Amino acid sequence: MGPTRLDPVQSATKVTFDRAVAATILVVLAPVFLGCMILTSGAEGEPAFASTTRIGRRGVSFQLLSFRAPPEQRLGVLLKKLGMDHLPELINVLRGDMSLVGPRPVKDRPDISEGEVPADCRPGITGLWVLEPRADISGPDAAMLDRRYVESWSLARDIRILYRTVAAVRYGP
């Protein structure tokens, strides 16, 4: 089975929706974002952001942003519990590295096979893999979910996945 992709109209719709929503969330949550930046900045001037390398659209690597918050600190636990450590990923969406909803961002590893990354789809902040009951989805199962997502993409489905993700973070599974 070859890589799946959205048609040009679907792709343009998805990119426009993603960037509009990401920009709106960043504007609305600007005070929270700024507060997280201040609280996660190190005493010695360490940056508030951490980054890890991930494989993006068409196999191009990018830096996935998050707030730097040690999990052993109460602040780090709170940021993780509320999902706030992932707020900087909205910057990745604005830059075009990611989508709000999409396949799981894959680590930049030499052992990843071609079939694990839908070649023409941006990875998502959330996706079907977040909403599955099993948190340990990987390999063929993750690839199957990613393909299923791309093959049956619709804007309405993205909105449902976003809503379910917010509800899961806010109220628990």
Side-chain angles (χ1 to χ4, degrees):
M1 179 187 244
T4 57
R5 65 179 57 194
L6 302 179
D7 70 39
V9 173
Q10 290 174 322
S11 186
T13 300
K14 185 167 181 50
V15 167
T16 301
F17 174 79
D18 285 343
R19 289 186 175 164
V21 171
T24 301
I25 292 170
L26 283 172
V27 168
V28 169
L29 293 181
V32 173
F33 194 90
L34 183 60
C36 288
M37 281 183 64
I38 291 168
L39 292 171
T40 58
S41 293
E44 293 87 36
E46 290 178 332
F49 298 114
S51 67
T52 54
T53 302
R54 295 291 188 258
I55 297 174
R57 185 175 185 216
R58 297 185 179 131
V60 176
S61 295
F62 71 96
Q63 294 302 307
L64 178 69
L65 300 174
S66 63
F67 281 122
R68 184 183 308 276
E72 63 274 357
Q73 295 178 344
R74 277 190 276 174
L75 172 64
V77 170
L78 181 63
L79 286 177
K80 274 226 177 279
K81 181 177 180 172
L82 297 175
M84 295 299 202
D85 58 328
H86 295 289
L87 271 179
E89 291 178 16
L90 294 168
I91 295 170
N92 286 112
V93 172
L94 291 178
R95 292 193 315 200
D97 298 329
M98 293 183 74
S99 181
L100 292 173
V101 181
R104 180 191 302 256
V106 180
K107 291 180 182 176
D108 191 9
R109 301 185 331 239
D111 61 327
I112 291 178
S113 66
E114 177 69 28
E116 286 188 56
V117 182
D120 202 32
C121 191
R122 288 175 182 85
I125 293 175
T126 189
L128 292 176
W129 45 274
V130 171
L131 302 174
E132 284 294 310
R134 295 182 0 231
D136 62 344
I137 295 172
S138 61
D141 292 337
M144 185 264 316
L145 279 176
D146 292 344
R147 288 199 183 284
R148 190 171 80 197
Y149 167 77
V150 176
E151 290 168 353
S152 62
W153 182 86
S154 74
L155 185 57
R157 189 171 191 204
D158 271 12
I159 292 168
R160 281 192 307 271
I161 291 170
L162 287 169
Y163 176 78
R164 288 181 59 202
T165 300
V166 170
V169 170
R170 171 133 185 179
Y171 301 111

